[in-house]
Amino acid sequence: MSAQTTEEAEPGAEDGRATAAARKREQHGWYFYDFACSVYSSSVLTVFLGPYLTAVAKAAGDAEGYVHPLGIPVRAGSFFAYAVSASVIVAVLVMPLVGALADRTGRKKPLLAAAAYTGATATTGMFFLGGDRYLLGGLLLIVANASLSVSMVLYNAYLPQISTPDERDTVSSRGWAFGYTSGAFVLVLNLVLFQGHDSFGLSEGAAVRICLASAGLWWGAFAIVPLRRLRDRAVVREPGAAPAVSGWKQLVATLKDMRRYPLTLSFLLAYLIYNDGVQTVISQASIYGKEELELEQSTLIVAVLLVQVLAVAGALAMGRLAVTYGAKRTILGSLAAWGLTLGAGYFLPARTPMWFFALASMIGLVLGGSQALSRSLFSHLVPAGKEAEYFSAYEMSDRGLSWVGPLVFGLTYQVTGSYRDAIISLVGFFALGFVLLARVPVRRAVEAAGNPVPERI
């Protein structure tokens, strides 16, 4: 009898080990998409493309400093910002459409491949942004930025499928850590090339174009790993379900469906507010450092690198804290840390790089963890079978709707003439986000979405 029991138990144990091994394999592949695409964010968007594309636009400008895309007069210095805004509009239109298509067909991987290689190709094409080709630069930026946003919808939608509820915080944190690791590594290589371009026989412009193109090549090369390891799941199609509708209609349909899960919507509202603060700090910190603290460009670039490196440690450390204290409490702690960091930033003395590096260190330590745990917590609140559709709304909160913070920052500066007042105005986003998140009963929210509740959340 005992021998029979042993024989019956062994196949089950083997099946469990095989399932766990297959899940780990997918998780390792999933990490590598962050490793692939984060180089675009760190090297292209944060460091090199803005100043270079602005210089190209100024070279193409008229005597008054205007360029005329589609016959519209635009200040050359504003062209990069307008191109980024256009990419957000394109992404908002496309993300819900792709998310719904992925959920209804179950074919996330081909869509992820299309978005990844469209973005990687556009980024690699930035090598040709010489002379006065500002229109080409704007087009490539729009395509690359929108492709990244679309690919992240699909990438994030895999998280509930490749991890158990108790694994999710750790898996999400490791993905962010992989991304920040690659961003820091490639940024170091790019900075070596940029700073020593003369010794390599290159002009400064040629060095920048190589840095831009290298991010696209890196993105495309390492995207192969997740595309080989991730797998699609079969879906149960509802009778008469439409394949997909236009982006805005699909977004409206998704938000209407979310009304059935008000606690999920409550979390998304809290995330939208505090993440708006996060994104504004990321985009405006360099302006604060340059204009208010009077720091050199080289100092700002080193600070960006410092953020990348410490965000790895921060993401992993906060992932461990979430195992002990739960994701919600850990995120709340990070929001308090964000507020304290901005408060410290308000008092930074000018022309003191070491204090700015200290501020960058504080940002890096809370940046990766707050983003990673927000993603994993939201994944618990998504009804099964609607991962990509719901993550399209989440991604728009992350990328497409983060405009209020920059507006508040800009208006505060316009009224007061002080970047210190502008930076401290962002504390309100973290304070309000903290209050709204604290009011979300996450265990009930997970149960309402029909998902198993992890031991710690």
Side-chain angles (χ1 to χ4, degrees), residues 30-39 175 178-179 181-183 218 222:
W30 186 80
Y31 300 149
F32 267 93
Y33 190 71
D34 235 328
F35 191 84
C37 70
S38 292
V39 172
F178 265 60
T181 299
S182 71
W218 182 282
F222 285 99

Side-chain angles (χ1 to χ4, degrees), residues 437-456:
L437 177 59
R439 293 171 59 88
V440 178
V442 290
R443 288 188 171 275
R444 281 203 288 125
V446 176
E447 291 173 349
N451 295 323
V453 182
E455 184 179 349
R456 294 282 185 184

Side-chain angles (χ1 to χ4, degrees), residues 47-346:
V47 177
F48 290 110
L49 184 58
Y52 185 72
L53 184 55
T54 300
V56 171
K58 287 181 177 180
D62 58 22
E64 286 76 32
Y66 285 84
V67 290
H68 300 269
L70 304 178
I72 303 171
V74 173
R75 282 194 182 275
S78 300
F79 181 74
F80 174 73
Y82 288 141
V84 172
S85 297
S87 73
V88 170
I89 294 171
V90 172
V92 167
L93 292 172
V94 176
M95 283 191 293
L97 177 65
V98 173
L101 185 62
D103 285 335
R104 290 172 181 173
T105 64
R107 294 178 61 80
K108 292 185 182 70
K109 191 158 72 170
L111 293 169
L112 176 60
Y117 283 103
T118 299
T121 301
T123 306
T124 305
M126 292 177 185
F127 178 79
F128 300 102
L129 298 185
D132 58 358
R133 298 172 183 165
Y134 76 97
L135 281 177
L136 175 62
L139 177 62
L140 293 176
L141 169 58
I142 291 170
V143 172
N145 236 23
S147 297
L148 177 66
S149 296
V150 170
S151 72
M152 291 305 293
V153 168
L154 301 161
Y155 168 73
N156 288 335
Y158 271 104
L159 180 58
Q161 298 179 334
I162 64 171
S163 57
T164 64
D166 290 327
E167 293 175 331
R168 215 160 286 170
D169 293 338
T170 300
V171 171
S172 183
S173 297
R174 286 177 179 171
W176 278 106
F178 265 60
Y180 283 117
T181 299
S182 71
F185 176 71
V186 174
L187 188 55
V188 168
L189 296 180
N190 286 341
L191 289 177
V192 169
L193 177 64
F194 178 74
Q195 297 286 6
H197 59 84
D198 286 333
S199 62
F200 291 105
L202 298 170
S203 66
E204 183 177 297
V208 170
R209 291 189 289 113
I210 291 173
C211 292
L212 294 172
S214 68
L217 294 173
W218 182 282
W219 186 356
F222 285 99
I224 294 173
V225 179
L227 292 174
R228 287 180 63 87
R229 293 197 173 188
L230 293 172
R231 63 183 181 85
D232 287 329
R233 272 78 174 168
V235 296
V236 179
R237 295 182 178 84
E238 298 179 6
V245 294
S246 70
W248 282 108
K249 289 182 179 179
Q250 183 56 55
L251 175 60
V252 171
T254 300
L255 293 176
K256 284 183 178 179
D257 186 72
M258 278 186 168
R259 289 163 56 187
R260 299 164 52 200
Y261 307 97
L263 297 180
T264 299
L265 266 179
S266 296
F267 170 81
L268 196 59
L269 175 62
Y271 173 76
L272 186 153
I273 291 172
Y274 70 73
N275 184 65
D276 202 348
V278 172
Q279 297 303 320
T280 306
V281 173
I282 292 172
S283 64
Q284 303 301 322
S286 293
I287 293 176
Y288 182 66
K290 185 176 182 60
E291 300 296 331
E292 184 69 36
L293 303 182
E294 303 175 28
L295 300 174
E296 298 291 334
Q297 182 69 28
S298 58
T299 299
L300 301 178
I301 293 175
V302 172
V304 170
L305 180 58
L306 190 59
V307 169
Q308 296 288 317
V309 172
L310 290 178
V312 177
L316 295 176
M318 288 180 65
R320 291 179 178 273
L321 288 174
V323 173
T324 303
Y325 299 104
K328 178 182 173 180
R329 288 182 179 178
T330 307
I331 294 170
L332 289 172
S334 76
L335 297 182
W338 271 108
L340 292 173
T341 299
L342 293 182
Y346 177 85

